[in-house]
């Protein structure tokens, strides 16, 4: 039984999450009473992109108070796109208390802190972990360190060697330094290490994707060689993991500008076979993004296409009708829906108001765009009080982001500058507050100017906040799919994240 648990655990740490979920389910038929096996299988399910919280809750109901059931629930929450930030760290602390001498529980609490906690809390944890260390804890510290500005090669390879010494089969001891090299445009060296990691875990879609990036960046290969190498490796991955959404997504992404027909076929297959999966959400979102990018380009050229705009409207409504597993994606979609109405000169004021109000609850990141929408609403409609409400909401979101920065970023000078931007925004927004009864100079025209002036300053402050945030630390919720660099290593939300 211990060997079965180890197989599934190694599959997880080898980044073959779909494979270890499938293997764990099969092994559980042989060992149905093994709580560690059930727990690690659920962690694989969660990391593969499925919602494992209901399964973990069921396990806890069947095994009340069982430490491994608590461990499973914490692991499922860490990867939950909506509940992870609020619930995973307390759940991981409970599991670590229940398993105080087990390295798995120590590692999992560290992962919860790295993914969802403040940078200072994670750093303190690694400096003095409350339980036994392991190769995986060392590898997680390496992943966390790669988020540190100006990390040097000596530190990266020292941590990798520490993990390798604890377990010569530690996949991340090879993969993470390779990823670090790739992001420093050293693809030939990166390829060597990523291939070494793949020898230990050959079916990992995220590591295959990183290998393809290294091949594409290699100066010593010509275009035909790159294409042939990637195509052969992609076919091998689909042969062994063609039933895995992550593998389909990895192959789809690398095919986008290399194998166009394959790209379209894989997109259709992913959405058709796994309609509720996070990877299918990304595929649907990317299709929408292509449509609204095409609309932007038409507008730039002065070549409107009402039929294409109507198709985009229908696609946006269809996406909203089937909400994605990651709620943050809805912010972009509602924003584009608002823009369609904003750009329609014949749109009724009520339609513009409804579009902004539908969008506002979902917008957490593009706060400056929400502020701009408040300006538009005040200028074009009689709904000034509603515009002011949107302005206040944008200020609240800005306040929350600065507070998040203060908790997460170690560079307090950056945080102080963001607090100054917040102060500027608050003063600017004061012009958008409703006039007191009997006050002078605040008729409809003056109130509208107040909204516009205040929101212009607010938008500037938010944009400046965004620049400061990018300079001071990782943005933990990247909106669009992209190749993941070191700043995304220890954060949730991407298929190639490090932990």
């Amino acid at each position: 039984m211990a060997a079965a648990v180890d197989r599934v655990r190694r599959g997880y740490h080898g980044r073959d999450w779909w494979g270890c979920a499938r293997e764990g389910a099969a092994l559980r038929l042989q060992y149905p009473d093994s709580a560690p096996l059930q727990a690690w299988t659920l962690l694989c399910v969660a990391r593969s992109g499925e919602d494992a919280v209901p399964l973990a809750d069921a396990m806890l109901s069947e095994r009340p108070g069982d430490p491994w059931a608590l461990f499973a629930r914490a692991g499922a929450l860490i990867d939950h796109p909506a509940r992870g930030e609020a619930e995973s760290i307390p759940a991981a602390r409970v599991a670590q208390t229940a398993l105080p001498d087990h390295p798995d529980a120590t590692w999992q609490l560290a992962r919860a802190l790295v993914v969802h906690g403040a940078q200072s809390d994670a750093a303190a944890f690694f400096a003095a972990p409350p339980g036994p260390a392991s190769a995986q804890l060392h590898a997680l510290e390496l992943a966390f360190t790669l988020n540190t500005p100006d990390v040097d090669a000596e530190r990266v390879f020292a941590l990798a060697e520490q993990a390798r010494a604890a377990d010569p089969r530690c996949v991340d001891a090879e993969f993470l330094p390779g990823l670090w090299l790739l992001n420093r445009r050293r693809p030939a060296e990166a390829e060597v290490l990523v291939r070494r990691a793949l020898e230990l875990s050959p079916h990992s879609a995220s590591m295959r994707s990183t290998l393809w990036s290294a091949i594409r960046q290699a100066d010593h290969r010509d275009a035909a060689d790159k294409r042939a190498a990637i195509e052969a490796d992609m076919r091998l991955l689909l042969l062994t993991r063609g039933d895995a959404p992550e593998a389909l997504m990895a192959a789809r992404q690398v095919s986008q500008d290399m194998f166009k027909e394959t790209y379209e076929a894989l997109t259709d297959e992913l959405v058709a076979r796994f309609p509720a999966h996070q990877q299918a959400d990304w595929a649907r979102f990317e299709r929408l993004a292509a449509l609204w990018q095409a609309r932007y380009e038409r507008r730039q050229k002065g070549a409107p296409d009402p039929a294409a705009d109507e198709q985009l409207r229908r696609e946006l409504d269809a996406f909203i009708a089937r909400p994605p597993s990651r709620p943050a994606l809805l912010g972009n979609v509602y924003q584009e829906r608002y823009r369609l109405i904003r750009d329609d000169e014949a749109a009724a004021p009520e339609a513009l108001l409804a579009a902004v109000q539908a969008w506002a609850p979902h917008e957490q990141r593009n706060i400056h765009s929400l502020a701009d929408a408040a300006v538009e609403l005040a200028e074009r409609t009689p709904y000034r009080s509603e515009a002011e409400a949107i302005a206040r909401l944008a200020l609240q979101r800005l306040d929350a982001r600065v507070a998040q920065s203060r908790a997460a970023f170690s560079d307090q000078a950056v945080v102080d500058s963001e607090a100054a931007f917040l102060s500027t925004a608050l003063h600017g927004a004061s012009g958008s507050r409703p006039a007191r009864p009997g006050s002078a100079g605040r008729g409809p025209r003056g109130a509208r100017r107040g909204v516009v002036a205040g929101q212009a300053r607010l938008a500037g402050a938010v944009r400046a906040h965004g620049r400061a945030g990018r300079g001071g630390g990782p943005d933990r919720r990247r909106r669009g799919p992209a190749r993941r660099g070191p700043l995304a290593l220890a954060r949730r939300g991407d298929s190639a994240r490090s932990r």
Side-chain angles (χ1 to χ4, degrees):
M1 184 170 63
V5 176
D6 187 63
R7 283 177 64 90
V8 177
R9 183 194 291 112
R10 284 197 177 276
Y12 178 99
H13 290 305
R15 302 172 172 274
D16 183 14
W17 301 302
W18 186 266
C20 71
R22 186 173 58 184
E23 185 169 22
L27 288 169
R28 287 203 63 227
L29 297 177
Q30 299 178 35
Y31 306 105
D33 297 327
S34 172
L37 178 60
Q38 184 177 3
W40 273 105
T41 300
L42 291 185
L43 262 66
C44 291
V45 171
R47 197 66 188 273
S48 73
E50 300 284 352
D51 181 2
V53 173
L55 298 174
D57 286 341
M59 179 182 178
L60 193 57
S61 296
E62 295 167 3
R63 302 171 181 267
D66 187 300
W68 285 103
L70 296 171
F71 176 86
R73 188 171 187 276
L77 283 168
I78 289 173
D79 288 300
H80 195 282
R83 299 172 59 181
E85 187 168 9
E87 299 181 51
S88 65
I89 294 175
R93 291 193 190 281
V94 170
Q96 200 276 330
T97 300
L99 291 166
D101 300 320
H102 204 291
D104 287 353
T106 305
W107 161 82
Q108 181 168 255
L109 177 54
R111 181 169 183 251
L113 290 170
V114 167
V115 175
H116 295 294
Q119 191 176 38
S120 57
D121 290 343
F125 186 96
F126 288 119
S134 63
Q136 299 307 328
L137 188 65
H138 296 316
L140 182 58
E141 184 177 4
L142 171 55
F144 172 74
T145 300
L146 296 186
N147 263 323
T148 305
D150 303 322
V151 60
D152 58 28
E154 183 178 357
R155 177 65 172 159
V156 170
F157 287 98
L159 285 169
E161 184 54 40
Q162 203 173 0
R164 193 180 295 113
D167 179 6
R169 296 170 60 198
C170 178
V171 171
D172 275 352
E174 314 299 337
F175 175 68
L176 292 177
L179 190 56
W180 182 80
L181 287 167
L182 181 62
N183 282 283
R184 275 144 189 82
R185 300 197 176 281
R186 296 161 65 178
E189 298 167 85
E191 183 177 344
V192 172
L193 289 176
V194 174
R195 286 192 182 278
R196 197 181 296 169
L198 283 165
E199 289 175 3
L200 298 170
S201 183
H203 306 310
S204 166
S206 64
M207 292 199 300
R208 290 282 170 194
S209 181
T210 303
L211 174 65
W212 302 337
S213 294
I215 292 172
R216 295 184 73 166
Q217 291 183 30
D219 292 333
H220 66 281
R221 295 176 181 267
D222 61 26
D225 181 32
K226 292 177 182 181
R227 182 183 178 91
I230 291 173
E231 185 173 21
D233 202 73
M234 180 181 70
R235 293 190 183 282
L236 178 62
L237 175 64
L238 292 176
L239 182 65
T240 57
R241 287 291 182 269
D243 60 343
E246 188 179 24
L248 292 173
M249 184 57 133
R252 171 184 175 273
Q253 288 178 327
V254 79
S255 298
Q256 186 167 9
D257 57 358
M258 297 186 74
F259 318 106
K260 190 63 177 178
E261 290 184 4
T262 301
Y263 170 78
E264 296 294 346
L266 288 172
T267 300
D268 292 340
E269 182 178 0
L270 179 61
V271 173
R273 290 180 61 183
F274 305 101
H277 197 276
Q278 291 180 22
Q279 300 292 359
D281 289 342
W282 281 120
R284 294 167 58 216
F285 181 82
E286 286 178 0
R287 279 181 162 173
L288 269 181
L291 289 176
W292 70 60
Q293 177 63 26
R295 177 176 179 270
Y296 171 79
E297 292 171 0
R298 289 194 303 270
R299 287 179 59 81
Q300 289 292 99
K301 296 174 182 176
D305 186 340
D309 287 355
E310 183 58 34
Q311 180 193 356
L312 174 58
R313 191 192 310 273
R314 289 194 300 269
E315 295 290 343
L316 290 168
D317 289 343
F319 191 95
I320 290 167
R322 186 176 194 166
S325 55
R326 292 196 174 276
L329 294 179
L330 284 172
N332 280 110
V333 174
Y334 273 106
Q335 181 181 9
E336 293 304 324
R337 192 167 175 270
Y338 156 75
R339 284 175 172 166
L340 275 173
I341 296 172
R342 179 201 66 187
D343 296 340
D344 181 1
E345 295 181 358
E350 294 79 10
L352 191 65
L353 172 64
V356 178
Q357 290 181 330
W359 168 29
H362 303 282
E363 186 54 76
Q364 301 293 332
R365 308 307 295 176
N366 293 333
I367 309 169
H368 61 278
S369 298
L370 201 56
D372 291 342
V375 175
E376 191 81 23
L377 193 62
E379 289 181 332
R380 289 180 53 179
T381 77
Y383 297 110
R384 287 184 293 278
S385 61
E386 289 82 355
E388 290 167 6
I390 299 296
R392 287 191 292 271
L393 178 62
L395 284 166
Q396 291 167 9
R397 299 274 166 82
L398 176 61
D399 194 7
R401 284 195 63 181
V402 172
Q404 183 186 50
S405 298
R406 188 169 294 283
F409 297 165
S410 59
D411 189 342
Q412 290 302 300
V414 171
V415 178
D416 290 341
S417 70
E418 293 183 355
F421 288 132
L422 173 60
S423 177
T424 301
L426 287 172
H427 284 294
S430 65
S432 69
R433 290 174 184 159
R436 296 186 301 274
S439 63
R442 291 305 306 272
R445 188 181 301 275
R448 184 170 301 185
R449 281 199 301 268
V451 173
V452 174
Q455 288 313 303
R457 286 191 287 271
L458 170 62
V462 177
R463 291 189 182 98
H465 167 87
R467 289 194 296 271
R470 286 192 292 274
D475 181 350
R476 285 194 265 181
R477 289 165 183 79
R478 300 177 62 174
R479 272 286 177 81
R483 187 179 63 77
R484 304 305 181 189
L487 289 183
L489 280 178
R491 301 299 179 185
R492 67 178 179 174
D494 53 83
S495 61
R497 63 191 185 274
S498 68
R499 299 312 313 157

